[in-house]
Amino acid sequence: MYTLLSIFLVVSIFPFYWMFIGATNDSSKMFTNPPTLLPGDQFMTNLTNLNESIGIFRVLFNSLFVSGLYVVIALAVCASAAYVLAKYNFKGKKFIFTAFLLSMMIPYQATLIPLFQMMSDFNLLNTYFAVIAPQLCFPFAIFLLRQNFLAFPTELMESARLDGASETRIFISIVIPSMRPALAAASIFLFMTQWNNFMWPLVVLNTNDMYTFPVALSSLMGLSYIDYGQVMMGVTLATVPIIAFFLTLQKQFISGMLGSALK
């Protein structure tokens, strides 16, 4: 078992190692035979060239700002919607939830034109708001959180109501703290979705100083020449925040998965 796990570990980690090797070597060494498997001395050179090409620190700020703000707002919106759909009974509840699920079947590309027209009518093109707003109500996150809210004991909410707690306080002070593992899992998913989002930012952003990582990295792929040292450096820098975000919430994420299994 440990031998098989070790093999899978090497296979899983090797692409990240190859990415780092490419970031520290000259572009010409990417296709040598035998391949270069040791770090080189071109790390700072590739970083400097990358910064001159796309303004790496501005791009990093754009991606972190957009993804971080998106996670906070989207988590608040999705958690509120999931809580209402899970714990309140009202006319049309099943229809609304079914509509959320069916919306997941609509190809994302089919929404680009109407969304672009909407942002253009409101003069919001090339803004952070235009990148963040269209996906704040994320159906999968609502579905994920709703399933966890269903497992929360309704008796606790009723006891809080008898003690005079308002619905807002019940949600914020009683329900949300017990849902931290589920919120962590949803946060990871939302962060990765926004961080890796390429199509919509490419459509709605039109200046280099507003580009996020996926859009900025795509501009490095020239028609006649590609500096793979720069590309690998950019991909490395784009991967680090995702890994750091996951490791930060790893404990909550794992406990959330185990808790769901036990329930």
Side-chain angles (χ1 to χ4, degrees):
M1 181 182 67
Y2 284 108
T3 301
L4 289 175
L5 289 176
S6 300
I7 294 174
F8 285 126
L9 177 65
V10 172
V11 171
S12 300
I13 291 180
F14 183 76
F16 295 96
Y17 179 74
W18 176 252
M19 177 179 66
F20 175 74
I21 293 300
T24 61
N25 280 285
D26 187 76
S27 182
S28 60
K29 294 185 178 181
M30 292 293 296
F31 304 102
T32 57
N33 190 16
T36 303
L37 296 178
L38 296 177
D41 57 356
Q42 298 297 308
F43 182 88
M44 292 305 302
T45 301
N46 290 332
L47 180 61
T48 302
N49 293 337
L50 180 66
N51 187 46
E52 293 176 354
S53 298
I54 64 174
I56 188 63
F57 298 105
R58 176 67 184 184
V59 171
L60 181 61
F61 169 79
N62 291 339
S63 292
L64 288 175
F65 179 78
V66 168
S67 299
L69 188 60
Y70 171 76
V71 168
V72 173
I73 301 177
L75 205 58
V77 172
C78 294
S80 301
Y83 177 68
V84 170
L85 291 172
K87 291 302 182 180
Y88 288 89
N89 294 318
F90 53 91
K91 188 176 181 179
K93 171 182 173 180
K94 292 184 179 179
F95 173 78
I96 294 175
F97 182 63
T98 302
F100 271 119
L101 295 182
L102 291 176
S103 68
M104 296 172 62
M105 302 174 62
I106 301 175
Y108 180 64
Q109 292 78 5
T111 65
L112 291 179
I113 294 178
L115 283 176
F116 179 84
Q117 185 64 49
M118 183 184 301
M119 295 301 163
S120 177
D121 292 340
F122 289 127
N123 295 319
L124 292 174
L125 295 179
N126 201 43
T127 62
Y128 293 128
F129 182 87
V131 179
I132 295 173
Q135 297 189 77
L136 287 178
C137 188
F138 204 86
F140 179 78
I142 293 175
F143 171 76
L144 175 66
L145 293 173
R146 174 186 177 271
Q147 300 308 107
N148 283 271
F149 283 129
L150 286 173
F152 185 84
T154 306
E155 293 78 9
L156 290 178
M157 298 169 55
E158 294 174 350
S159 298
R161 291 190 183 103
L162 290 175
D163 290 338
S166 64
E167 296 299 319
T168 302
R169 183 171 183 182
I170 292 173
F171 176 62
I172 296 177
S173 302
I174 299 177
V175 179
I176 287 297
S178 65
M179 292 290 117
R180 284 181 296 180
L183 294 173
S187 298
I188 292 173
F189 182 82
L190 291 171
F191 184 85
M192 293 182 64
T193 299
Q194 186 61 259
W195 184 269
N196 294 324
N197 192 8
F198 170 72
M199 184 62 70
W200 176 241
L202 178 65
V203 171
V204 78
L205 300 178
N206 49 44
T207 58
N208 293 336
D209 62 330
M210 293 295 294
Y211 282 170
T212 56
F213 253 119
V215 180
L217 292 180
S218 69
S219 65
L220 296 176
M221 309 301 288
L223 296 177
S224 58
Y225 175 74
I226 301 176
D227 188 341
Y228 286 99
Q230 287 189 49
V231 173
M232 288 298 184
M233 175 60 68
V235 175
T236 301
L237 296 177
T239 305
V240 170
I242 297 180
I243 297 176
F245 190 79
F246 177 81
L247 292 178
T248 302
L249 299 179
Q250 181 183 23
K251 182 178 179 180
Q252 296 288 346
F253 178 76
I254 294 176
S255 63
M257 296 299 101
L258 294 177
S260 299
L262 292 175
K263 290 174 184 177

